[in-house]
Amino acid sequence: MTVKLSSSILAKLPPKVAGPKYDRAALKAGIVHFGVGNFHRSHQAVYLDDLFNAGVGHDWAIVGAGVFEGEKVGRGKLQEQDWLTTVVEQDSGHMSARVTGVMIDFLMPGDAAAIIERLADPAIRIVSLTITEGGYFIDPASGVFNPTHPDIVADAQPGAMPKTVFGIILAGLMRRRDDGIVPFTIMSCDNIPHNGHVTADGVIGLARLIDEDLATWVSEKVAFPDGMVDRITPATTDRERGILSSEFGLDDNWPVFCEPFRQWVLEDHFTDGRPPLEKVGVQFVSDVAPYELMKIRILNGGHATIAYPAGLMDIHFVHEAMQEPLVRGFLDRLEHDEIIPTVPPVPDTVLEDYYRLIEHRFSNPKIGDTIRRLCLDGSNRQPKFIIPTIADRLKAGKGVAGLALESALWCRYCFGTTDSGAVIEPNDPSWDRLQTTARAAKDAPAAWLAMEDIYGDVGRSAPFVEAFANALKALWADGARTTLTRYLAGNL
């Protein structure tokens, strides 16, 4: 016997499911959040739920927002259950479920006028974002905001109704400036190096196309705190919905499954107050950069390291990849030989302990994270998680054999077939281009590195070009298993 999630059953949830300890009817909106996906609901929303359960911060509830047509599907699923979400934490010896109730509304995605109206409300003091790496209009090679992107150019036209996140946010700021209301803080919760600076570059860059004085005002008056966020959160499938129903007796249109571990390191820089999240484990620091670099290189770089060899070996789940000695061995050697040595010291952190924690988290057999998810969007992720590490190694005159192999594995994956001949379905916004380039690189490896917007100077470095060509030729001649075996034996 199961019950369907809604506000009406919160007082009588199944015995093993925890519910909000606060009166949702008394909550007041303080945050508009763009990008209501799984990660947001397993991370930021859970921290706020903890805070609200402690009887604190009830004027910081979330209003969802979005700009894409596809986001209407998620909105519809959540609307059916009064914006509630079930969050299930799982590892090998633990599984728990809780219902979070911190979101009290979700504006229709793409309804720019309604979203701008809400952003102009003085009660909204933070606008937060989880719009993925690809949502910031960053030129991959230079790593800076691209003001020539057609969507940005369109939003900058006089009288245009904005369609991008940055355009809508900027319109909301302009309304507040005109009304004499303190501007809200813009808080990125995405896995991007220096995400606060990147967000500022986007909003200010768009403002500069409209009016230089507006750009100056945003630069001087709006806070863009940097933050490091971490919690492994896979996509929701019928598998997860089935587990929730059978194990906990609860039906949820869009539950979130995640690991128990979570971390949020945040710069304490806000224009109009913030929730006291330090009470529930958020680390407020003056400089997020050391934590951010550690996480992006060791964890996100580690994900990229295991993703493509596992994909070529037809391995489905991440924990299964960690059970494959060649994949686990590749991760361990590449991290210790080439990635971790590029990470500067981090306050109160032993890097080897952090790596061991990552290794343990990747091995979690309950989380159901897929290799395909890790392989997704390499054209945006590689320039952030891998290529800067290669650049640092080259600058220091150090070897890049493992990183070159990682890059070659990505290229081989983008060819579109596994080593067994199985077809790899498109898995990147630029898949057609990547596949065409990967096919050219089979006989001319340098063609892959000639993608200037992705590799930049790294693609012209003779040591890297040579190591990459060697690795790619080995992958085509012998396959991923034999190539990894040779690399681990020091013979590649």
Side-chain angles (χ1 to χ4, degrees):
M1 183 68 181
T2 62
V3 294
K4 181 74 179 73
L5 181 61
S6 71
S7 291
S8 64
I9 62 107
L10 285 180
K12 47 182 186 292
L13 285 166
K16 293 193 292 182
V17 181
K21 298 174 184 174
Y22 46 90
D23 178 8
R24 292 184 75 225
L27 296 178
K28 295 178 180 176
I31 300 171
V32 169
H33 181 82
F34 286 88
V36 181
N38 279 19
F39 181 75
H40 161 70
R41 294 181 299 132
S42 79
H43 193 266
Q44 180 185 352
V46 169
Y47 279 103
L48 285 167
D49 191 62
D50 282 348
L51 190 67
F52 294 0
N53 278 333
V56 181
H58 291 179
D59 58 343
W60 289 103
I62 291 171
V63 174
V67 297
F68 297 115
E69 187 72 22
E71 293 176 278
K72 292 179 180 178
V73 175
R75 181 188 181 277
K77 290 178 179 179
L78 293 174
Q79 185 178 30
E80 284 183 20
Q81 54 200 46
D82 305 315
W83 318 121
L84 296 165
T85 289
T86 312
V87 179
V88 180
E89 295 181 2
Q90 281 190 304
D91 65 16
S92 55
H94 163 83
M95 183 162 65
S96 63
R98 66 192 285 184
V99 172
T100 63
V102 300
M103 193 168 85
I104 60 173
D105 195 7
F106 192 158
L107 303 171
M108 186 61 71
D111 187 349
I115 299 172
I116 292 165
E117 189 68 32
R118 199 60 174 260
L119 294 179
D121 180 351
I124 300 301
R125 288 152 289 159
I126 293 175
V127 172
S128 53
L129 310 169
T130 46
I131 54 176
T132 75
E133 298 89 352
Y136 287 80
F137 301 97
I138 303 166
D139 175 65
S142 67
V144 299
F145 174 67
N146 176 16
T148 66
H149 191 285
D151 292 349
I152 293 296
V153 172
D155 273 6
Q157 299 309 304
M161 180 60 76
K163 294 184 178 178
T164 69
V165 170
F166 291 162
I168 291 171
I169 287 174
L170 188 61
L173 285 171
M174 291 166 70
R175 280 277 303 274
R176 292 172 83 107
R177 182 185 65 164
D178 293 345
D179 294 344
I181 300 168
V182 176
F184 43 71
T185 295
I186 304 173
M187 181 177 73
S188 172
C189 300
D190 276 300
N191 282 318
I192 295 177
H194 317 298
N195 57 12
H197 294 293
V198 169
T199 309
D201 286 348
V203 177
I204 295 168
L206 174 56
R208 188 163 287 121
L209 297 178
I210 297 170
D211 177 56
E212 193 65 42
D213 288 342
L214 174 63
T216 300
W217 180 83
V218 173
S219 180
E220 292 177 351
K221 301 296 185 182
V222 181
F224 297 86
D226 271 330
M228 183 268 261
V229 296
D230 190 7
R231 189 172 220 185
I232 295 172
T233 309
T236 302
T237 66
D238 287 341
R239 170 186 180 271
E240 284 73 34
R241 278 182 282 269
I243 291 171
L244 179 63
S245 180
S246 62
E247 295 288 329
F248 293 96
L250 187 63
D251 288 333
D252 183 326
N253 291 326
W254 195 16
V256 176
F257 279 57
C258 55
E259 63 175 338
F261 177 88
R262 56 183 152 121
Q263 187 177 17
W264 194 0
V265 184
L266 193 54
E267 181 186 5
D268 201 353
H269 179 45
F270 293 78
T271 55
D272 193 19
R274 62 167 176 81
L277 291 164
E278 67 276 10
K279 295 179 182 294
V280 290
V282 176
Q283 298 165 259
F284 283 97
V285 299
S286 59
D287 184 11
V288 176
Y291 301 90
E292 187 177 67
L293 187 67
M294 171 184 73
K295 189 256 177 176
I296 282 171
R297 295 205 173 178
I298 299 176
L299 185 144
N300 297 111
H303 264 158
T305 299
I306 66 175
Y308 298 109
L312 292 173
M313 294 180 192
D314 302 291
I315 297 172
H316 184 72
F317 287 115
V318 175
H319 70 273
E320 293 172 339
M322 293 298 288
Q323 292 166 0
E324 164 54 61
L326 289 173
V327 175
R328 194 181 189 109
F330 181 43
L331 173 69
D332 192 73
R333 179 163 178 191
L334 180 53
E335 290 273 14
H336 286 103
D337 286 4
E338 299 179 30
I339 295 177
I340 295 173
T342 72
V343 179
V346 179
D348 304 316
T349 305
V350 177
L351 293 180
E352 178 62 21
D353 292 347
Y354 182 78
Y355 168 69
R356 292 299 168 198
L357 173 64
I358 298 303
E359 191 179 45
H360 173 75
R361 292 167 62 197
F362 287 1
S363 303
N364 185 342
K366 295 290 187 179
I367 201 64
D369 202 8
T370 65
I371 289 298
R372 182 171 172 83
R373 185 186 80 86
L374 300 196
C375 292
L376 172 69
D377 205 12
S379 61
N380 274 305
R381 292 179 175 182
Q382 291 279 315
K384 298 174 181 68
F385 303 153
I386 291 290
I387 293 169
T389 307
I390 299 170
D392 282 358
R393 293 284 296 177
L394 292 169
K395 188 176 180 180
K398 303 292 187 180
V400 289
L403 289 162
L405 176 54
E406 188 281 338
S407 216
L409 285 158
W410 176 44
C411 173
R412 171 64 186 84
Y413 177 89
C414 292
F415 187 88
T417 57
T418 70
D419 279 350
S420 72
V423 173
I424 298 170
E425 296 298 330
N427 201 20
D428 192 289
S430 302
W431 186 258
D432 289 346
R433 173 203 183 193
L434 294 176
Q435 189 169 49
T436 299
T437 309
R439 288 175 175 176
K442 182 178 181 182
D443 297 315
W448 185 258
L449 303 183
M451 290 190 292
E452 180 78 20
D453 58 322
I454 292 175
Y455 283 97
D457 290 342
V458 163
R460 293 185 289 272
S461 165
F464 184 68
V465 171
E466 182 180 352
F468 173 85
N470 180 52
L472 187 61
K473 288 174 180 175
L475 287 170
W476 276 115
D478 304 316
R481 286 186 177 278
T482 299
T483 303
L484 288 177
T485 300
R486 286 178 55 198
Y487 167 75
L488 292 173
N491 295 326
L492 185 63

